């Protein structure tokens, strides 16, 4: 009985150790998630201000129409309230990105498969979904300045998606966003492995009891 007790204690200690590592990894992934969201806010703010400047100075090269309307500003003025713009961008990005649909570590349960193909599939799926969401974010932000009107002329930079504008041109994440997402993916692999090890350890413990 003493031998069985030692084996059981060792197994439980090993399980506790793996679970502690898993929770630590989750915390680091949450930090990286918030870092990506903040980087997206910065990217969006810089993108919209750059495009507004192009629309004012060189409208033929802008993603906005030549008759762009600057809401909440005096007619003919392109000066932006940067503080107000920043708050609106923050709200839009939070609404689109700060939920569990993209961030696997927030889910209590997830597929324990740790095959390389499966992990690469999950990473590519997350990347595509985030890219699509950022396109919608850019569309929502432009609506601060540019209202969608019935019969709006086509613009190759945008598509209408369920009554909302979505950016349709080539889109590349900022270096900060890319670096953050890559760090998240590295920890995602670790999370899958730790989750698998926990399930294996539980099976071993149950096998010793029978």
């Amino acid at each position: 009985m003493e031998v069985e007790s030692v084996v059981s204690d060792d197994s439980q200690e090993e399980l506790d150790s793996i679970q502690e590592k898993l929770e630590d990894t989750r915390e680091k992934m949450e930090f990286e998630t918030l870092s990506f969201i903040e980087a997206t806010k910065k990217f969006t703010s810089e993108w919209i201000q750059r495009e507004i400047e192009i629309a004012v100075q060189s409208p033929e090269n802008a993603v906005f129409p030549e008759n762009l309307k600057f809401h909440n500003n005096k007619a003919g003025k392109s000066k932006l309230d940067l503080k107000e713009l920043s708050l609106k961008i923050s709200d839009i990005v939070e609404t689109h990105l700060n939920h569990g649909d993209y961030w696997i570590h927030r889910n209590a349960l997830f597929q324990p498969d740790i095959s390389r193909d499966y992990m690469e599939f999950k990473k590519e799926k997350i990347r595509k979904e985030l890219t699509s969401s950022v396109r919608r974010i850019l569309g929502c932000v432009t609506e601060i300045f540019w209202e969608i009107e019935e019969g709006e002329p086509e613009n190759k930079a945008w598509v209408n998606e369920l009554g909302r504008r979505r950016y349709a041109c080539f889109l590349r994440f900022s270096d900060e966003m890319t670096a953050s997402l890559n760090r998240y993916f590295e920890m995602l692999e670790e999370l899958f492995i730790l989750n698998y090890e926990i399930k294996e350890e539980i099976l071993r413990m149950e096998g010793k009891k029978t």
Side-chain angles (χ1 to χ4, degrees), residues 58 111 152:
S58 182
Q111 175 67 32
E152 180 179 284

Side-chain angles (χ1 to χ4, degrees), residues 37-164:
I37 290 171
E38 289 303 313
T40 303
K41 293 176 184 178
K42 179 182 177 183
F43 166 81
T44 304
S45 179
E46 292 175 349
W47 185 92
I48 195 71
Q49 290 182 60
R50 182 178 64 250
E51 292 301 329
I52 290 293
E53 289 174 2
I54 293 174
V56 172
Q57 299 172 10
S58 182
E60 68 277 6
N61 296 320
V63 297
F64 294 104
E66 292 184 29
N67 61 342
L68 175 65
K69 300 173 184 177
F70 294 95
H71 303 304
N72 301 320
N73 286 281
K74 293 181 180 179
K77 299 291 185 180
S78 61
K79 182 177 177 61
L80 302 176
D81 183 338
L82 298 181
K83 183 177 180 180
E84 182 181 1
L85 175 62
S86 178
L87 289 174
K88 289 183 177 181
I89 288 174
S90 180
D91 288 343
I92 291 170
V93 173
E94 289 283 346
T95 298
H96 281 78
L97 295 185
N98 200 4
H99 50 76
D101 291 353
Y102 307 124
W103 313 109
I104 293 178
H105 74 282
R106 291 182 176 180
N107 300 326
L109 300 174
F110 53 90
Q111 175 67 32
D113 192 339
I114 61 169
S115 67
R116 172 57 57 183
D117 286 346
Y118 180 77
M119 285 191 284
E120 291 303 317
F121 163 76
K122 291 300 292 184
K123 288 190 287 187
E124 185 60 25
K125 183 173 184 291
I126 292 171
R127 193 185 303 277
K128 286 181 178 179
E129 289 176 345
L130 287 173
T131 300
S132 182
S133 189
V134 172
R135 291 182 182 280
R136 288 192 292 272
I137 287 169
L138 296 180
C140 289
V141 173
T142 64
E143 291 170 18
I144 297 172
F145 312 97
W146 173 18
E147 293 180 344
I148 292 182
E149 299 177 357
E150 188 174 352
E152 180 179 284
E154 291 187 5
N155 183 318
K156 64 181 181 180
W158 306 97
V159 295
N160 191 309
E161 186 177 75
L162 300 177
R164 305 306 298 267

